[in-house]
Amino acid sequence: MRLEYHFEEISSTQEYAKELVSQGKDNFVVFSDIQTNGRGRFGRIWNAPHGGLWFSFDKKYSGNVLFTLAVGVAIKEVLEEEYNTKLLLKWPNDLILDEKKVGGIICEKVDDAVIIGIGINTNNKVELDTAINFFEKTQKSKDNYLIMNKIINKIENTVNLDNRKIIETFRKNMAYKGKECFVSVLNQKAKILDIADNGNLIVEVNDEIEEVFSGEINICT
Ligand code: BTN
């Protein structure tokens, strides 16, 4: 049984989870109604007001290089079923609804654990033009706690799946395939082609094919 730490307000569930691991704790989930200092990837601020789903939990690191992709695939499947709507995955693991970001994932390794932090715009207001929430799209207001537990269970199963299955699902549901995007590690635009069997992003840049293994992509408008 996972130990649950629930807060009405916290600085960041991710930071709290990391502290728990450093105290030797495992098998827990930290969730909060509001985060006052939510963190995204690359040290960015993650806006986390009331109504959204914000949580972090630990998982023993399996050594699987496709771990973060598998987490994205699992979340996508739960949310599509809950909201009966189609989502896409933006490499490596953003959740896209109607070309806007509806959820983000951060996976951070601490000792032999990975802290998986998940933020989903369910019933909260969003500020950025590039973001959307599920309520706006579906008019459905779901119970965040139930969704959280479904996601955790799905992730437990998905990370043990055959990698070929994970790649196959990701490929079929990949956002911006064939589109020009800004690729952060290349610091330039490239055409998004595919993902490789090892999870790397395959792009075409200056008439050459390249593989990218970290960073992020953003659609060029
Ligand atoms: C990203 O897309 O940059 C990842 C966003 C991750 C946000 C979640 S919300 C719960 C957890 N606590 C944090 O401070 N961040 C993650």
Side-chain angles (χ1 to χ4, degrees):
M1 213 32 198
R2 262 181 205 279
L3 207 52
E4 295 185 350
Y5 295 84
H6 174 244
F7 297 89
E8 283 177 4
E9 185 175 305
I10 196 174
S11 169
S12 157
T13 59
Q14 193 73 3
E15 295 310 311
Y16 195 86
K18 284 200 232 167
E19 248 175 70
L20 291 176
V21 169
S22 68
Q23 291 163 14
K25 303 236 170 55
D26 67 0
N27 205 21
F28 58 78
V29 55
V30 185
F31 55 109
S32 182
D33 303 346
I34 295 171
Q35 292 181 117
T36 53
N37 194 18
R39 284 195 326 98
R41 293 174 73 219
F42 311 111
R44 291 190 191 123
I45 289 171
W46 180 264
N47 203 16
H50 202 274
L53 173 54
W54 327 117
F55 67 106
S56 301
F57 68 101
D58 68 305
K59 182 101 192 65
K60 201 167 162 49
Y61 182 55
S62 62
N64 187 348
V65 288
L66 298 189
F67 190 89
T68 59
L69 298 190
V71 170
V73 165
I75 301 173
K76 171 191 134 42
E77 287 179 353
V78 170
L79 294 173
E80 282 190 339
E81 204 178 303
E82 282 297 308
Y83 288 100
N84 196 21
T85 188
K86 172 83 184 149
L87 297 180
L88 291 176
L89 290 160
K90 184 177 88 153
W91 186 88
N93 54 11
D94 279 351
L95 295 148
I96 305 293
L97 171 65
D98 285 355
E99 305 211 335
K100 294 188 173 188
K101 183 157 168 168
V102 74
I105 303 160
I106 186 167
C107 294
E108 296 180 293
K109 200 167 168 300
V110 183
D111 302 331
D112 62 349
V114 188
I115 306 296
I116 305 169
I118 300 170
I120 300 168
N121 296 323
T122 51
N123 310 309
N124 57 297
K125 285 211 174 88
V126 291
E127 282 175 8
L128 298 172
D129 286 347
T130 51
I132 190 170
N133 67 38
F134 277 105
F135 183 74
E136 194 182 310
K137 166 76 182 174
T138 65
Q139 305 304 308
K140 286 185 188 159
S141 179
K142 297 271 177 172
D143 184 315
N144 281 332
Y145 180 77
L146 287 182
I147 295 182
M148 179 181 83
N149 282 306
K150 285 188 181 177
I151 288 175
I152 294 173
N153 289 336
K154 190 74 166 191
I155 289 173
E156 303 276 15
N157 296 328
T158 309
V159 292
N160 295 324
L161 282 181
D162 186 328
N163 278 350
R164 278 172 305 188
K165 179 94 188 85
I166 293 165
I167 290 290
E168 190 192 325
T169 310
F170 200 100
R171 268 196 190 118
K172 278 194 201 143
N173 298 283
M174 191 171 159
Y176 309 137
K177 218 171 183 170
K179 302 245 167 79
E180 285 286 316
C181 285
F182 186 82
V183 180
S184 65
V185 282
L186 300 177
N187 198 28
Q188 69 178 99
K189 287 181 193 174
K191 188 172 171 184
I192 307 302
L193 297 182
D194 205 347
I195 52 165
D197 290 344
N198 63 3
N200 286 352
L201 182 72
I202 306 174
V203 300
E204 185 186 314
V205 57
N206 303 332
D207 294 329
E208 305 226 326
I209 308 294
E210 284 201 30
E211 279 195 23
V212 169
F213 65 92
S214 66
E216 64 173 353
I217 60 172
N218 282 299
I219 185 83
C220 299
T221 45

